[in-house]
């Protein structure tokens, strides 16, 4: 496994016509990331994992400084998965003139100011800005993301289509703990009591899906029932969206996605479910 920091060190795979499957990450790798890596390895060519905690996607009061950084463990996991190259860019390698002076991508409000964008208004601009740079620098042919960040996935698909970047964006199913909690690097912030409460979110989503099949399909009703099914959590949002466009629906139907965010203590959980 090659470990590199600079774009020059990224091997000349593409010059040799090899396809590159990139798994962009911020490190603190868990089994969800490993499923993305396993998907990358199914593709022809080489697998590349980037580890970069992107300052541009964190708000001023968010957890950039506290974000878990577990490089040694991450490298071991990548090695065990048979990753061909781990790319650990320095901040100046991604933002040569500094984060504040970087030209960025602006995502239209219709996609970036709904769902998670209501409480994190600059998040998706920051994500797109870094992923654009990672794609250009790596010349990846495929980039793989998890469906837990469903809004991120839809926005990134639109970005590569709008900007005509020759890469295929591929999404992988959510990986869950045995009690259903969607895996996330931030789950390690949860106390044991919070960790117990956190699992109620997925159970409440499953209940909502069941109730939908019984005819309860108004999102306002689903929202208040879901909140009462996970009383220890504070709902940030629950929305039903079109699977391709993220358009918000008042009435949910099969094929839509229920997307949820809720606070569990100081930790914000997100999850989603196809209905
Ligand atoms: O999903 C993430 O971990 C990040 O948003 C990403 C895509 C690696 C960009 O920093």
């Amino acid at each position: 496994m090659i470990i590199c920091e600079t774009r020059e060190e990224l091997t000349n795979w593409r010059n040799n016509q090899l396809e590159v499957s990139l798994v962009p990450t911020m490190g603190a790798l868990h089994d969800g990331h490993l499923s993305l890596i396993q998907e990358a390895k199914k593709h022809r060519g080489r697998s590349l994992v980037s580890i970069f905690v992107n300052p541009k996607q964190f708000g001023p009061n968010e957890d950039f400084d506290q974000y878990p950084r577990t490089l040694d463990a991450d490298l071991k996991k990548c090695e065990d998965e048979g990753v061909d190259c781990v790319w650990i860019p320095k901040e100046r390698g991604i933002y040569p003139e500094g984060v504040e002076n970087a030209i960025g991508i602006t995502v239209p409000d219709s996609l970036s100011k709904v769902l998670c964008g209501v409480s994190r208004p600059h998040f998706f601009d920051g994500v797109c800005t870094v992923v654009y740079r990672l794609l250009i620098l790596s010349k990846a042919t495929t980039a793989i993301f998890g469906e837990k960040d469903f809004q991120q996935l839809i926005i990134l698909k639109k970005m590569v289509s709008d900007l005509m970047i020759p890469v295929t964006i591929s999404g992988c199913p959510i990986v869950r703990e045995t009690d259903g909690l969607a895996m996330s690097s931030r789950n390690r912030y949860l106390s044991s009591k919070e960790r117990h409460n956190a699992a109620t979110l997925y159970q409440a989503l499953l209940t909502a899906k069941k109730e939908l099949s019984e005819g309860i399909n108004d999102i306002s009703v689903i929202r208040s029932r879901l909140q009462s099914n996970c009383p220890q959590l504070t709902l940030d949002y629950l929305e039903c969206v079109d699977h391709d466009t993220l358009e918000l629906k008042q009435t949910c139907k099969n094929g839509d996605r229920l997307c949820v965010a809720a606070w569990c203590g100081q930790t914000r959980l997100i999850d989603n479910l196809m209905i």
Side-chain angles (χ1 to χ4, degrees), residues 85-105:
C85 178
V86 181
W87 176 30
I88 313 166
K90 295 259 184 267
E91 197 168 297
R92 290 275 159 174
I94 298 293
Y95 302 112
E97 295 183 10
V99 182
E100 293 312 318
N101 299 316
I103 288 186
I105 305 260

Side-chain angles (χ1 to χ4, degrees), residues 23-39:
V23 180
T25 81
M26 300 206 298
L29 303 184
H30 50 68
D31 286 358
H33 295 111
L34 303 191
S35 76
L36 308 183
I37 291 172
Q38 285 149 15
E39 176 62 26

Side-chain angles (χ1 to χ4, degrees), residues 10-24 39-50 83-87 134-144 166-170:
L10 275 176
T11 61
N12 55 0
W13 292 335
R14 286 304 298 284
N15 299 338
N16 294 331
Q17 313 296 321
L18 283 169
E19 297 185 13
V20 177
S21 293
L22 171 67
V23 180
E39 176 62 26
K41 289 195 58 73
K42 287 186 200 151
H43 290 247
R44 276 186 309 190
R46 297 289 187 262
S47 54
L48 173 65
V49 173
S50 63
V83 169
D84 292 308
C85 178
V86 181
W87 176 30
L134 294 171
L135 293 175
I136 298 297
L137 291 169
S138 67
K139 298 185 180 156
T141 39
T142 303
I144 300 164
V167 63
T168 303
I169 300 288
S170 170

Side-chain angles (χ1 to χ4, degrees), residues 24-26 33 52 54 57 123 127 130-131 145 149 152 156:
T25 81
M26 300 206 298
H33 295 111
F52 180 66
N54 172 36
Q57 69 189 70
F123 175 70
V127 168
V130 76
V131 172
F145 299 87
D149 300 291
Q152 167 174 283
L156 289 171

Side-chain angles (χ1 to χ4, degrees), residues 85-86 131 162 233 261 271 274:
C85 178
V86 181
V131 172
D162 273 16
L233 308 182
D271 203 341
M274 172 89 122

